Amino acid sequence: GAGVSQSPSNKVTEKGKDVELRCDPISGHTALYWYRQSLGQGLEFLIYFQGNSAPDKSGLPSDRFSAERTGGSVSTLTIQRTQQEDSAVYLCASSLRGLAVTDTQYFGPGTRLTVL
Amino acid sequence: AQKITQTQPGMFVQEKEAVTLDCTYDTSDPSYGLFWYKQPSSGEMIFLIYQGSYDQQNATEGRYSLNFQKARKSANLVISASQLGDSAMYFCAMRGSGGSNYKLTFGKGTLLTVNP
């Protein structure tokens, strides 16, 4: 079946502009995650959605970052007033249930964001 | 909180030989899951193998096996019969059973190069 898809694959933007990154999870997966991968910080958790529950936004680095998940499926990560330190690869993952230690997260190809 | 340590920034192996990638972890959770992911230069994070903390046997998946030593808190990945396509970054990750147990905590990764 289809895996996690993300768009765009690459995004170059100017400092101060807003960007939207999209994630389509695996069909039937109720849990969705966003991570950020940068050279200095490694892989960092950003946000978690589980079904219709309120998301865990504890990993978002600032209030410029927000995310939503519509209809329990597609998710959009929005970064407002981008800064150069936002440059990173943004990875989306989904999993079947989300709450069990056995629950495997499957990742998309990522969006490489470059802020000039 | 969980912590993953991968002490080998880079490893080299000859094609067809076996290689072990080290991973140690720290957690106070009574149960947890350990995961290994492969990230080729294309950027996608590919799930390889899972080990549960209460699993009696070491996990195996094709050429991948996990040398799980719970008392030592280590979960080393063994790749047998290395292939050129195994050249990639390898990440060890874990999730616990505590409050924010859905998050994966990643190590900094090991870059494996398979030489012909």
Side-chain angles (χ1 to χ4, degrees):
Chain A
V4 177
S5 61
Q6 293 185 246
S7 61
S9 54
N10 278 284
K11 177 71 177 179
V12 180
T13 190
E14 293 179 349
K15 178 181 172 181
K17 295 281 179 72
D18 297 352
V19 295
E20 283 190 352
L21 312 180
R22 176 188 167 104
C23 172
D24 273 282
I26 293 172
S27 177
H29 281 192
T30 63
L32 187 146
Y33 317 75
W34 285 95
Y35 293 84
R36 179 169 72 173
Q37 185 176 26
S38 57
L39 281 175
Q41 302 297 323
L43 277 143
E44 307 170 272
F45 165 81
L46 296 178
I47 190 168
Y48 161 72
F49 293 91
Q50 171 58 57
N52 295 321
S53 302
D56 177 354
K57 306 178 183 180
S58 61
L60 295 178
S62 78
D63 58 9
R64 295 186 295 104
F65 288 70
S66 63
E68 63 176 19
R69 188 179 184 192
T70 53
S73 181
V74 172
S75 176
T76 303
L77 177 68
T78 301
I79 310 173
Q80 296 179 308
R81 305 181 303 282
T82 52
Q83 303 293 312
Q84 288 182 332
E85 60 262 29
D86 299 335
S87 296
V89 176
Y90 289 82
L91 291 164
C92 176
S94 70
S95 68
L96 195 57
R97 295 184 300 276
L99 295 178
V101 292
T102 57
D103 196 48
T104 297
Q105 296 179 25
Y106 296 92
F107 284 79
T111 293
R112 182 175 297 277
L113 175 65
T114 303
V115 182
L116 301 176
Chain B
Q2 285 86 37
K3 184 177 179 181
I4 295 282
T5 302
Q6 294 181 255
T7 57
Q8 307 153 315
M11 288 282 286
F12 293 88
V13 65
Q14 286 298 121
E15 195 177 6
K16 299 180 186 177
E17 292 186 350
V19 63
T20 298
L21 306 183
D22 293 343
C23 172
T24 58
Y25 60 91
D26 192 23
T27 182
S28 56
D29 288 348
S31 68
Y32 47 89
L34 295 154
F35 302 80
W36 277 91
Y37 288 86
K38 171 184 178 182
Q39 189 176 43
S41 56
S42 59
E44 185 164 358
M45 196 76 74
I46 302 166
F47 166 70
L48 295 178
I49 193 167
Y50 164 82
Q51 178 81 47
S53 59
Y54 286 110
D55 292 344
Q56 295 298 312
Q57 294 189 327
N58 287 342
T60 61
E61 284 288 347
R63 294 186 299 110
Y64 304 108
S65 61
L66 223 153
N67 183 0
F68 179 49
Q69 298 187 45
K70 193 171 181 178
R72 293 187 177 185
K73 294 191 174 179
S74 73
N76 299 338
L77 177 70
V78 181
I79 306 174
S80 63
S82 297
Q83 302 172 355
L84 295 178
D86 294 334
S87 292
M89 198 76 170
Y90 288 81
F91 291 94
C92 180
M94 76 176 298
R95 59 184 295 172
S97 53
S100 301
N101 64 332
Y102 40 79
K103 299 181 196 180
L104 281 175
T105 299
F106 287 87
K108 294 198 178 297
T110 296
L111 181 62
L112 176 67
T113 302
V114 181
N115 294 317

